[in-house]
Amino acid sequence: MQRKLGVSTWVWTARLTDESLAHLATQAAQLGFDAIELPLEQLGDWDPERAKDLLGELGLHPLLAAVMPAGHNLIGVPRAEVEATQDYLRGCINAAASLGATTVAGPLYTATGRLFALDDGQRRAAYAQLRTALAPLVEHAAERGITLAIEPLNRHETSLLNTIDQCFDALEPLLGPGLGMGLDTYHLNIEEQDIAAAVARATEHIIHVQLSANDRGIVGADHFDWHGFVHALDVAGYDGPLCVKSFNPHNPTLAEAAAIWRPLASSQNALAADSLAYLRNLQAGGLR
């Protein structure tokens, strides 16, 4: 299956602005990408209408990622913080609609890096809180023609949703129009015992897919079974974009957040370009 190949601006920078977006979108198009993922850290960081025009001129398919730093939580915090997080995510949905994107992807449940032990009863209660907080957002997303793509993270970044099975435990009553799952191969590689089976389990609910090497470096220059993963997506019928995702170790904000303490390629452009070349060959059947 031939899919659009995209790249996240996180490969180069942390907090996106109109100015950095203009530069990076042009760069992504020149490298040969078909799509670009735009993180929205705070509402108003960049103008969705302006971005829509720019990406249209460059022929780039738009993708939007929500960011969940400290203070963005839907469970286990005072009601005011939950409501503020709902307001932020509602703003992301509206921004995606203005941008012309169809998804808002990310760990849309609690701040990345927030860790806490949960026994079975506490986990059931946390999942119930999450469904209550997400329900109006799912409804709003569906009304705007947007689907939220919930991303499970690895155990070092969250203790709430690490696996596809946990996503079903937490969210199954809400899955459908307005809510699906976002898969990131970096997290799947750490948490899933059988990645192909996890993809198969998520089949009709896969909304967004991010590709990251097992070390967050160049896709294909690692031990991840890319053939098996892409075949699993084929079997699952996922035909949406595949988005290369990594972080810049020379950007202190990104390096600390993603725990990247060394360069993962000769340059960030090389990481993007080499990943794209590998994926083009993989999709063309040139790699066996």
Side-chain angles (χ1 to χ4, degrees):
M1 190 180 296
Q2 297 299 304
R3 302 175 181 88
K4 287 181 170 56
L5 299 177
V7 63
S8 170
T9 60
W10 268 323
V11 169
W12 294 280
T13 192
R15 191 167 173 177
L16 198 62
T17 64
D18 286 323
E19 290 70 27
S20 59
L21 171 54
H23 169 69
L24 294 175
T26 300
Q27 189 165 264
Q30 290 173 342
L31 288 171
F33 284 98
D34 311 305
I36 189 166
E37 181 184 88
L38 309 182
L40 184 54
E41 185 170 333
Q42 291 188 19
L43 302 179
D45 278 352
W46 46 269
D47 183 343
E49 295 286 354
R50 180 174 171 179
K52 179 181 181 179
D53 291 342
L54 172 67
L55 300 190
E57 292 170 5
L58 294 171
L60 290 172
H61 179 84
L63 305 165
L64 191 144
V67 186
M68 300 292 283
H72 284 190
N73 294 288
L74 292 180
I75 65 151
V77 294
R79 182 175 180 81
E81 186 170 330
V82 172
E83 291 176 348
T85 303
Q86 289 174 316
D87 288 343
Y88 161 71
L89 292 174
R90 195 173 290 109
C92 287
I93 293 166
N94 295 338
S98 297
L99 179 65
T102 58
T103 62
V104 173
L108 314 177
Y109 37 91
T110 190
T112 303
R114 184 175 175 225
L115 306 171
F116 43 86
L118 294 167
D119 62 27
D120 289 345
Q122 291 168 330
R123 185 170 293 278
R124 286 194 297 271
Y127 288 172
Q129 290 177 30
L130 178 59
R131 288 192 295 273
T132 298
L134 270 177
L137 297 172
V138 172
E139 182 178 0
H140 181 64
E143 290 172 351
R144 299 300 310 267
I146 304 297
T147 305
L148 302 177
I150 294 282
E151 177 188 358
L153 303 182
N154 72 75
R155 68 192 71 186
H156 307 293
E157 298 182 32
T158 188
S159 50
L160 192 67
L161 296 177
N162 302 126
T163 67
I164 298 301
D165 279 344
Q166 286 180 325
C167 286
F168 275 104
D169 289 344
L171 303 170
E172 190 161 18
L174 297 179
L175 290 172
L179 183 66
M181 298 183 198
L183 308 185
D184 182 325
T185 58
Y186 178 79
H187 303 300
L188 293 175
N189 182 63
I190 294 172
E191 296 297 340
E192 297 291 353
Q193 294 179 330
D194 185 330
I195 293 173
V199 172
R201 171 92 163 99
T203 292
E204 64 185 284
H205 303 294
I206 302 172
I207 303 302
H208 187 61
V209 175
Q210 296 168 323
L211 307 184
S212 187
N214 66 274
D215 64 348
R216 286 289 194 199
I218 298 168
V219 172
D222 63 333
H223 72 227
F224 191 78
D225 180 8
W226 293 105
H227 294 274
F229 180 70
V230 170
H231 176 68
L233 292 177
D234 289 342
V235 173
Y238 175 76
D239 60 0
L242 305 177
C243 184
V244 174
K245 178 182 175 184
S246 187
F247 302 96
N248 189 341
H250 303 295
N251 183 300
T253 301
L254 287 180
E256 184 174 349
I260 294 177
W261 311 117
R262 58 185 170 82
L264 301 174
S266 59
S267 70
Q268 295 309 106
N269 276 356
L271 188 153
D274 291 352
S275 296
L276 177 62
Y278 177 83
L279 292 168
R280 289 272 185 234
N281 285 335
L282 181 62
Q283 288 207 138
L287 298 172
R288 300 296 178 191

